[in-house]
Amino acid sequence: MVALLLFALPATAQRSTSSEAATSPPVYRIDVVGSGVPRAINNRGEIVGWTGSPTRAFLWTPATGMQVLPHLGTGPSVAYDVNDLGQVVGESAGRAVRWTNGAAQDLGTLEQGGSSTATGINELGHVTGSATVGGVLHAFLFTDANGLTDITPGTEVRAVWRINESDQITGYRSLFGANRAFRWTSGVLEDLGVHPDFAHSFGLDINDSGRVSGAVTSATGNSERVARFTDGVGWELLGGFGETNLGYGLNNDGTVVGEGIPVSGLVTAVAFFDGLGMFDLDELVPGTEWNLLLAADVNDAGQIAALAFNTVTGQSATLRLTPSGTTQPATMHVADVTVTLDQRGRGGNDVASVAVADGSG
């Protein structure tokens, strides 16, 4: 499980966009984001992750390119998730951070001298992650109204990954002598169980309907499958061969991306599409010198953030894969609101300035 512990540091999904079932998998065109490891992509096609050594959190947008985000103190920083407003969450100097308009906000810890990391953010700006309590990890929920709150006060967790628009959170914990995926909803920590043929389950992403993507693993660890949990269905085995198959990202259409071995050979970037099955993403990006290593996340437009190796230059880089024949949705958002008081004698005028940005920034 080295790959899971190293990389499964989670993806966000919003509204479904597909209107009918596909009859074949998409073919993708490539945008080169730059040197670094991707972790998430939002519905505007913006990507976050980390770059350099020591690592530095980055945000990439089509308008600005890759920007290194400010960090707290010294040491490494990483970015794990981004919402459609461009807010980014991650960790810097052992503390959970939310970056808004490029400014870093320390979200605090659950105990004095403890550590914390933020791994998921939704469109409300609500943040989830994990923090130490008595030297062990607990899950937290951060909101501007309530700050950092311990949502598993009596339970140690192994990892916390993502949050959806209903503030449902997924991750996994140790239970009954095994790793078991959980889903937290309004104060209730739900055990998602395991597939009958496997001993462990891992929750790595959650979409707006409460579906969870991740993996199931045998007791020995030598057999693992990309998996998806759906209410009323349970754990579905989506594919994979051997011992490294992980579903890192999930969108609202149910598409799952990650890394694995579809049939045989080496671990590669994979994608599962309902009604079609699992595919090696290299087969869906024809005529390119890029070898896709893993897919970190997928948005509702079907765009994928992937890590790849260039077979010509020998360099690795983050790529954005966009289904051919599609365009990035035109989006606009409020970029800034500034309120000032223009004092005039004993009276004055309140002035509010609102900046609205289009999809190119």
Side-chain angles (χ1 to χ4, degrees), residues 10 31-32 56 100 103 107 138 174 194 235 255 326 332 338 361:
D31 293 307
V32 179
R56 291 289 182 261
T100 303
L107 301 185
H138 285 208
S174 179
V194 296
W235 286 104
T255 299
T326 66
M332 302 185 74
T338 304

Side-chain angles (χ1 to χ4, degrees), residues 58-231:
F58 76 77
L59 167 65
W60 178 89
T61 74
T64 63
M66 183 181 287
Q67 296 178 305
V68 174
L69 297 170
H71 57 96
L72 306 174
T74 60
S77 63
V78 291
Y80 294 145
D81 201 10
V82 57
N83 66 14
D84 288 348
L85 299 177
Q87 291 180 297
V88 180
V89 293
E91 179 186 333
S92 179
R95 311 273 289 200
V97 180
R98 182 178 63 182
W99 289 272
T100 303
N101 296 326
Q105 177 187 4
D106 185 345
L107 301 185
T109 62
L110 292 175
E111 63 179 355
Q112 187 174 1
S115 62
S116 59
T117 183
T119 50
I121 184 169
N122 65 18
E123 301 313 308
L124 298 173
H126 297 173
V127 180
T128 194
S130 59
T132 56
V133 177
V136 300
L137 290 180
H138 285 208
F140 72 74
L141 175 64
F142 175 91
T143 68
D144 289 317
N146 299 318
L148 203 71
T149 303
D150 187 346
I151 61 172
T152 59
T155 303
E156 177 185 353
V157 300
R158 298 291 304 277
V160 183
W161 299 137
R162 293 302 171 85
I163 183 171
N164 68 12
E165 300 314 302
S166 301
D167 282 351
Q168 291 181 300
I169 294 166
T170 195
Y172 62 90
R173 59 176 172 155
S174 179
L175 188 66
F176 307 126
N179 289 305
R180 311 259 294 208
F182 68 79
R183 182 174 57 192
W184 182 90
T185 306
S186 302
V188 177
L189 191 64
E190 177 187 3
D191 172 31
L192 298 185
V194 296
H195 187 277
D197 296 333
F198 291 84
H200 306 276
S201 62
F202 302 88
L204 305 181
D205 197 8
I206 186 168
N207 69 11
D208 289 345
S209 65
R211 263 179 157 178
V212 172
S213 69
V216 293
T217 309
S218 65
T220 61
N222 61 6
S223 181
E224 186 171 67
R225 300 291 180 267
V226 175
R228 185 178 63 189
F229 179 89
T230 304
D231 286 325

